[in-house]
Every structure is written in C-alpha cells, then in structure tokens.
Amino acid sequence: MLGQELSKELVLGAGEQIKQLLSPVQEDHRNLVKKGLILFRQGSIYNVSTTSHTVSARVQDVTNVQVELDLDDFVLSTCTCPSETICRHRIATFLYVYASVDRVGTFVDNWKEEKPIDDVLKKHVRKASSFFTEEKEYEDSSLASWIAFFEREYDTWYEQVSSPHQLFQSLYYHYYSTLKQKAPKSPEMKQFFYVQASVTVFLKIIQLINETKPSDYMLQSIIFPYLDQLIENVSNAIREMKRYALPFALDPLLTDSVERFRELLHVGTNFQYERLQLYQLLWVELLRRDKFISIEREWLNAVQGQDSPFQNEYETALLHMNFLQSKDEELFKQIEGLSPTALPFTFYWVNDILNKKNWSRLSNWITYLLANTPDYLNSSLPFHEKRNTARYMLQVMRQYVDATGNHTLYEKACRQMLPYSYSEYNDYLLNKEEYKTWIELQSLLGFALSDFDTYVLKEIEKKQPGILLPLYAKSVQEEIKLKTRANYKMAVRYLKRMKSQYKKLKREEVWDNYIRQLAEEHKRLRALKEELTKGKLIHD
C-alpha cells in the first residue's frame, strides 16, 4: 500500500540523506541503525499513514512514541521520544517505508559501504527530491500536454491491471493517485492539475462502464461513490485554487478546458445527473466568462437538432449558458418545454444564487419553483424523490424568508407541497404556536393522537388549554368504534385528559353533560361501561 502512495524516488532520496547524516565508522551511529533495524524486524511499527511526502506512524518501544517522517527533508522529521536528533524510532519507521520499495538489507549494506563525510556536508543535506532529477513528463502550461500525459499513464496502468473485477477500484486508487503525485509544484497550478486529473478519471470511469457493462448493483454500490467523491474532489481543489491570485499562465489552460469539459456531455449515457452536475460546477467556478460562453454556445447551437442520444445534455448545457449570463426569463421559457421531472436539474443554479446571497434574483427563482412544483409532485416519481425535492426547496425557502422577512411565503410553500412537506410544516406550526392550524393538519393527513409524542401534547395543553378537546373527542369515538377491550382502555385515557382540560377551563358542567351522553349513547357496550367505571368516569 505504501508503495502506491509514495514515489520510489522520494524514498530512495530520503535514504541518501540518512547516509549523509549517519556514518558507519561511528559506533553510536552503527548502534542507532542496529536498534532501528531490530525495532523494524520485531514489527514494532503500526498505525502508518502517508501523504505524498510524509509518513506518520506509532512505534512500540519501552513506551509508545509517535514518529513523523519528512522524506523530502529528513532532518525535519520528529519523534515524541526525548532525542532531539535522529533516533532509533525514526530509523525503524524509515526502514518500514523502505521495505515497500526495496530490500531493507540492500539499504543497510549500501550504508555500511559509504565513505565518511565531513561535518560541513552534514549541515547542507540536500532534499530527497533533489537526488533524482526526473525527466519532465508534460509542459506545465499546456493542457494538451497534460492530457497526453494522462493517456500515457492510463495505458501503463491498464496493462498492469491484474483483475477485471477490481477495475474501477484500481482506476481510482492506483491510476488517480499516480496522476496526483506528479502534479506541478506551484500551489495554484497543482490544484488546477487536480481538477483536470479528477475530470479525466471521471471520464475514464464512464468509458469503462460503456466497455464492461457492469450490473445495476455495481453501478450504484461501487461505481457511484467514486463519481460522487470525484465531484467533491473537484470542488475542494477549486476552493483551494481561489485562495491564490490565479496566474496569467492559467488562461490558455482555461481556454482549452472548454472543449475538455464538454466531453462530460457525451462521453456516455450513464450517470446523466452526475455528468451534468460536474459540468455545471466547472462552468460556474472556472469558465464563467463571456468569451468562454460564446465558444460553448456556438458549438451547442451547431449540434442542436442532430440525431444524437445526448440531446438532453446539449439542451441542459445551453440552459446553463443562459444561467451563467443571468438570462433567467429566457431560461424559464426554455424550461417550460422540459418534463416536470426535470425540476431538480435547476437546483444547482438555485444553490449558486443562494450561496451568493442574491436575494432579488432568488425571488424570481422561488416564484418559478412554486409555480412548477405541483406538476412535479403529481408525476409518477417515487415518494422518496419527491420528499427529497420538497425538503431541498423548503431549505431554500427558509433561508430566503429569514433574509427577507417574508415568512408567509414559507407557510404557503409548506401547504402547497403537502404531504411531502409534512415534517417541515408540522415543526413550523408548533414553533409558531399555531395550534388550531396544527390540529387541522393532523386531521387532514389522518393522524391519530397515539401518533404524537406525549410531551408535545402536554406542551400544547399547557400553552393553550382546551385547544385539543375536539381532537380528543374524535379519537375517543374512533377507539370505541373498534370495540375491543384495549381500544376501550385507550378511549378512557383520552377521556381522562379531556376531564382534566375541562377542569382547568372551569367548565365541569360541560364535561358532566358530555360523559353522561357518551355513556348513554354506548350503554349496550358492557365492556366499555366497565372501563368507564374502572376509570371513575361514571358511577353505577
């Protein structure tokens, strides 16, 4: 595993540093390496994790210690033991790493043969990366060069894949990791390289799906998580990019990216939503310039109307261009021609507006969403998809009304989306203490008193005594209709709550009339009469 995460050149370079720092002719240095070798052979190194240049590990010695190796500059490595210089724990951890790229015996033998160097050299130990000058594999300022490099690495990886059953896992963990390890050094170019590498792996996954025809289970359970993570990786890399002032050298790379990112539209028919999601993300965050949009519009208009299985993707991309240029009215007219089930495809746009807190523009989108929600909720989509859509839209509404103070809009949206908005509307009414409307909601959806938490009912009774009496009375009748002893007992429980409420309202005479009439109405139900008597609600 370590060999896949750390380059062999970096590990060997760190070994060269150690050879310069430790001399085999000095007894204390020989003892240090010997003790490190013993710890390594005893299997004392565990909990190992790596980045591209560092290794973190625990070493079991007399006491446990934490080691952090800097393979690029070994003298910066640290250990929690008392030693302030290179210790046996750092040597043991390095040998553990070295074993992933070569025989440990080879390193020790080579070290023993080293000639001593003077102290001056030790003060100027070179970084590991300087020991091996790799031949440049691509031009930093050329996207075409990057892509050619990606393809060469892909061909090399594909030839080495041992099992077709691990194809997608290997693509993500081996091929993708190799690309990221060879990113440019400058922070902003490195992050853009990560973006392009992530897009490349995303495209390769779709291409492999086209070739291998995996099962539905594999598509959803194994492949989808990789695509989802790649989208997240792109988002994270872009966020890191924006921490820096982007260099002018990035402009030609962005121009060439217009065509590169376009491949997401027609690389294959699988995972349409995810392909469009990544396409939209890249355009919103990286290519939101009129000159790029003009290039894309020209191409999309040229392919419109052609007999292609990707017409939906092309139409959505054209809509996205309108969104990027804030042509919302034109966009709304175009969307009218789409299926009602396409509504969630607009959510990326809504989210972008929301993140920018452009409340005036969001107002128009909310009007559009509310107007088109009924057709979506009346479609044949599964309940959970409609529920998820309602939840998202109400989250947007909540942020909008909190910013603008238009709280009636939120309640209107909740009403319109019932029953899919029940949870949000229920909480809203309870928080606003609109108990009468809350009772109407429960009755509308057919909920019984037994469906509610006792705490909620007590809070309502405490704040507004008597408001639940109609609901209790209805529940009593429903329990009695079922004509079982258990239902009669439940009816008695509700009746006791009613009696308590009437007493708080000082309307005992109303209660007396109600219970007398109820007992008379059901006098032939002997079991009910027995339960009423046991509950001391009536007397023989």
Side-chain angles (χ1 to χ4, degrees):
M1 179 61 73
L2 284 173
Q4 299 161 3
E5 298 167 353
L6 298 169
S7 69
K8 181 176 181 179
E9 291 79 5
L10 186 69
V11 175
L12 295 178
E16 293 298 320
Q17 294 181 71
I18 293 174
K19 290 177 185 178
Q20 292 186 3
L21 291 166
L22 301 177
S23 172
V25 300
Q26 294 188 31
E27 185 176 356
D28 57 338
H29 288 182
R30 290 199 305 272
N31 288 334
L32 182 63
V33 173
K34 182 179 179 180
K35 290 176 181 178
L37 189 59
I38 291 172
L39 285 172
F40 163 70
R41 287 175 174 168
Q42 287 176 341
S44 301
I45 297 89
Y46 63 100
N47 284 2
V48 181
S49 61
T50 69
T51 68
S52 58
H53 286 262
T54 65
V55 177
S56 176
R58 298 287 292 177
V59 180
Q60 176 66 54
D61 201 353
V62 179
T63 59
N64 286 345
V65 295
Q66 180 69 36
V67 173
E68 304 289 338
L69 294 188
D70 187 325
L71 297 180
D72 197 39
D73 201 346
F74 197 83
V75 294
L76 299 179
S77 302
T78 62
C79 179
T80 56
C81 75
S83 177
E84 296 181 359
T85 58
I86 297 180
C87 60
R88 60 183 181 272
H89 311 114
R90 276 170 265 197
I91 294 298
T93 305
F94 169 75
L95 294 175
Y96 178 91
V97 174
Y98 191 91
S100 68
V101 299
D102 202 351
R103 290 180 57 254
V104 169
T106 301
F107 170 77
V108 175
D109 291 343
N110 290 340
W111 174 72
K112 289 178 180 178
E113 295 173 2
E114 284 291 308
K115 294 180 179 180
I117 58 174
D118 57 35
D119 292 337
V120 177
L121 267 177
K122 295 179 184 178
K123 296 179 182 178
H124 302 282
V125 177
R126 292 156 58 198
K127 290 186 176 182
S129 57
S130 67
F131 282 98
F132 296 87
T133 304
E134 296 183 26
E135 183 180 349
K136 197 66 176 175
E137 296 182 277
Y138 56 82
E139 294 295 328
D140 282 0
S141 58
S142 168
L143 182 59
S145 179
W146 290 12
I147 294 172
F149 163 67
F150 295 157
E151 291 299 324
R152 289 195 302 272
E153 290 293 327
Y154 180 81
D155 291 341
T156 300
W157 164 80
Y158 196 81
E159 290 175 359
Q160 297 173 349
V161 176
S162 57
S163 170
H165 301 296
Q166 301 296 319
L167 198 62
F168 295 95
Q169 294 93 323
S170 178
L171 181 74
Y172 187 88
Y173 289 110
H174 297 171
Y175 172 65
Y176 187 34
S177 296
T178 300
L179 298 187
K180 290 191 292 183
Q181 287 173 8
K182 298 184 179 181
K185 300 299 181 184
S186 66
E188 62 276 13
M189 293 295 280
K190 175 186 286 187
Q191 297 303 326
F192 190 61
F193 187 92
Y194 287 166
V195 169
Q196 292 291 351
S198 301
V199 170
T200 294
V201 175
F202 191 103
L203 292 169
K204 292 296 184 185
I205 288 177
I206 302 297
Q207 289 168 358
L208 285 174
I209 292 173
N210 299 340
E211 296 169 9
T212 60
K213 310 296 183 187
S215 65
D216 288 342
Y217 171 80
M218 190 169 184
L219 286 171
Q220 296 304 318
S221 301
I222 297 177
I223 297 174
F224 169 75
Y226 294 139
L227 296 178
D228 191 50
Q229 186 59 55
L230 286 166
I231 295 172
E232 182 67 23
N233 293 350
V234 169
S235 180
N236 292 338
I238 292 173
R239 187 161 49 249
E240 284 296 309
M241 280 178 66
K242 292 191 173 182
R243 294 175 54 195
Y244 309 97
L246 299 183
F248 290 115
L250 202 58
D251 269 7
L253 292 169
L254 288 171
T255 301
D256 292 341
S257 295
V258 173
E259 183 175 353
R260 178 60 169 175
F261 296 160
R262 186 185 298 153
E263 292 183 36
L264 291 165
L265 301 177
H266 51 243
V267 65
T269 56
N270 287 283
F271 293 103
Q272 181 189 61
Y273 181 82
E274 287 71 28
R275 288 186 289 112
L276 289 170
Q277 183 184 4
L278 181 54
Y279 177 86
Q280 290 175 325
L281 168 65
L282 293 164
W283 271 92
V284 162
E285 300 295 345
L286 294 177
L287 301 179
R288 201 171 193 157
R289 300 185 198 173
D290 285 341
K291 67 175 183 178
F292 297 148
I293 295 172
S294 296
I295 295 171
E296 191 73 347
R297 275 189 186 279
E298 183 178 355
W299 186 87
L300 289 168
N301 285 325
V303 296
Q304 282 291 91
Q306 295 182 5
D307 185 15
S308 167
F310 306 107
Q311 280 303 308
N312 287 338
E313 284 88 337
Y314 299 153
E315 289 175 10
T316 304
L318 268 175
L319 296 176
H320 193 52
M321 297 304 115
N322 281 335
F323 170 77
L324 295 174
Q325 295 183 316
S326 300
K327 297 180 179 180
D328 291 345
E329 292 304 322
E330 185 175 344
L331 184 54
F332 294 151
K333 291 179 182 177
Q334 292 172 307
I335 295 174
E336 286 180 5
L338 301 179
S339 165
T341 58
L343 188 68
F345 280 96
T346 67
F347 291 168
Y348 185 87
W349 301 329
V350 173
N351 211 47
D352 182 63
I353 298 170
L354 185 64
N355 290 337
K356 291 178 171 56
K357 302 186 186 303
N358 189 340
W359 306 119
S360 59
R361 188 180 183 190
L362 186 59
S363 175
N364 294 330
W365 275 90
I366 285 177
T367 300
Y368 161 78
L369 290 175
L370 288 176
N372 287 271
T373 296
D375 286 341
Y376 174 83
L377 296 180
N378 288 329
S379 70
S380 58
L381 289 171
F383 180 92
H384 72 273
E385 289 191 31
K386 297 177 184 179
R387 169 64 187 137
N388 290 338
T389 295
R391 181 190 295 115
Y392 171 78
M393 290 176 60
L394 289 171
Q395 288 172 352
V396 172
M397 301 286 180
R398 171 60 72 186
Q399 294 183 62
Y400 175 77
V401 300
D402 286 346
T404 62
N406 186 5
H407 292 282
T408 57
L409 182 65
Y410 184 80
E411 183 172 7
K412 176 184 176 182
C414 285
R415 284 181 173 273
Q416 182 174 310
M417 296 183 202
L418 286 172
Y420 308 100
S421 59
Y422 168 78
S423 180
E424 289 81 3
Y425 195 26
N426 180 76
D427 292 344
Y428 171 82
L429 293 174
L430 289 176
N431 290 333
K432 299 285 286 186
E433 297 184 8
E434 296 183 10
Y435 299 129
K436 184 177 181 180
T437 308
W438 181 84
I439 292 171
E440 292 173 355
L441 174 64
Q442 314 313 319
S443 299
L444 174 67
L445 298 181
F447 288 111
L449 279 172
S450 57
D451 296 320
F452 306 122
D453 191 293
T454 303
Y455 172 80
V456 173
L457 298 176
K458 287 182 177 179
E459 280 294 303
I460 295 174
E461 291 172 345
K462 179 180 177 181
K463 293 179 178 178
Q464 201 166 339
I467 190 71
L468 292 177
L469 286 172
L471 199 56
Y472 279 125
K474 180 182 177 183
S475 297
V476 167
Q477 292 292 348
E478 289 173 349
E479 295 292 342
I480 292 174
K481 285 180 183 178
L482 296 174
K483 296 183 179 181
T484 71
R485 180 74 69 168
N487 293 112
Y488 294 154
K489 289 181 178 180
M490 183 63 70
V492 168
R493 287 178 58 187
Y494 293 150
L495 288 167
K496 287 182 177 180
R497 299 294 294 271
M498 291 179 68
K499 182 179 181 180
S500 175
Q501 288 290 294
Y502 276 117
K503 186 176 181 179
K504 285 183 180 179
L505 294 169
K506 297 182 179 180
R507 297 174 61 190
E508 287 90 341
E509 72 285 354
V510 177
W511 161 255
D512 291 339
N513 289 333
Y514 170 78
I515 194 64
R516 190 182 305 115
Q517 291 176 4
L518 181 73
E520 179 63 24
E521 181 182 352
H522 300 290
K523 61 184 179 181
R524 295 184 180 181
L525 301 176
R526 186 176 62 182
L528 173 61
K529 184 177 180 181
E530 290 174 358
E531 293 301 326
L532 292 174
T533 304
K534 285 181 184 178
K536 299 181 180 180
L537 296 174
I538 63 172
H539 304 283
D540 288 333

